Amino acid sequence: MESKVLYTLEYLVGHLDNIDNLKLKANILRNYEGRNFMEDSPEDIRYEDIRLDLFPEVKKLMRTLMDKFEEQYGLKIKPVPTSDPNEVVWAVVHQHNESTNWHDHATHTNYNKGAKVSAVYYVDVPHNSGDIVFKVHENPFVTKMYLEKAETGKFIMFDSTLLHCVTKNLSNYNRIIISMNFTFDD
């Protein structure tokens, strides 16, 4: 007799001390205050997503996360190929009482060429400013949720199809994060 695993789902969590969060925060806030959003309409889901300048610190963050993933799993990942670099990396600023609804990062129309691994990096997250929650349908009758605390300097890498949301920012300060999408390097 043997036991076989059909499916497992995990995510990678760690902290980075080689990233200059002050430089990242300044770039993000400049684009946020300049209303440099991914979409112009507040009704669009990408309206809260802020464009980033791909300056050296952003590239260093992405390279560091790709290296961490390879170190953990022995698999190389690369940024999702796209004509718009902000489809790969973008920022979100949540003010008091703001949150993000349930979503995933999979490309529903073309999963084969879209995101396989997504990441979040916490640039500046004051206490009580919102955490990420993952939702897993273990079977048709059981849904479980897993909360991962947000902390400045922390990263989380996860399967792009994994449903997640962000709880409300109950602090009086901005919550600033960077999101990224990767695919496997053939």
Side-chain angles (χ1 to χ4, degrees):
M1 179 169 40
E2 66 181 299
S3 175
K4 294 184 178 184
V5 176
L6 295 175
Y7 180 72
T8 61
L9 186 61
E10 60 186 68
Y11 57 91
L12 183 61
V13 179
H15 287 83
L16 302 177
D17 55 11
N18 65 332
I19 302 299
D20 189 336
N21 289 329
L22 294 177
K23 284 182 183 176
L24 292 174
K25 182 178 178 178
N27 180 269
I28 293 165
L29 289 177
R30 182 173 51 257
N31 285 326
Y32 177 70
E33 291 161 3
R35 305 193 56 75
N36 193 4
F37 300 121
M38 293 290 291
E39 292 293 338
D40 295 328
S41 171
E43 288 83 33
D44 193 288
I45 193 166
R46 298 298 308 266
Y47 178 73
E48 77 172 359
D49 299 339
I50 303 160
R51 293 188 174 277
L52 281 177
D53 302 321
L54 297 182
F55 70 106
E57 203 61 26
V58 173
K59 291 178 182 179
K60 178 180 176 184
L61 171 62
M62 293 174 68
R63 176 80 260 155
T64 300
L65 290 178
M66 290 186 290
D67 290 346
K68 293 284 184 190
F69 191 88
E70 182 178 5
E71 178 185 314
Q72 179 68 26
Y73 299 110
L75 298 169
K76 290 185 182 230
I77 57 175
K78 63 183 180 183
V80 172
T82 179
S83 59
D84 183 349
N86 287 132
E87 292 292 331
V88 175
V89 58
W90 64 94
V92 177
V93 174
H94 279 162
Q95 295 181 353
H96 178 71
N97 272 338
E98 290 184 325
S99 63
T100 299
N101 292 329
W102 290 106
H103 68 286
D104 62 40
H105 291 214
T107 305
H108 301 284
T109 56
N110 191 356
Y111 177 71
N112 290 333
K113 294 187 180 183
K116 301 294 186 294
V117 177
S118 295
V120 61
Y121 177 73
Y122 297 103
V123 176
D124 188 12
V125 288
H127 177 71
N128 217 17
S129 64
D131 299 310
I132 193 167
V133 180
F134 295 109
K135 184 190 291 189
V136 178
H137 298 285
E138 291 189 351
N139 64 48
F141 310 104
V142 177
T143 299
K144 290 192 177 175
M145 294 193 208
Y146 301 88
L147 183 138
E148 188 68 45
K149 285 282 190 196
E151 301 167 11
T152 300
K154 184 177 184 176
F155 72 88
I156 304 171
M157 300 182 81
F158 53 93
D159 185 306
S160 298
T161 64
L162 187 55
L163 280 174
H164 57 285
C165 72
V166 178
T167 60
K168 275 188 184 180
N169 179 356
L170 299 178
S171 79
N172 292 318
Y173 303 97
N174 287 338
R175 174 186 191 276
I176 304 172
I177 64 101
I178 293 177
S179 291
M180 290 156 273
N181 283 331
F182 301 98
T183 191
F184 294 107
D185 195 357
D186 299 328

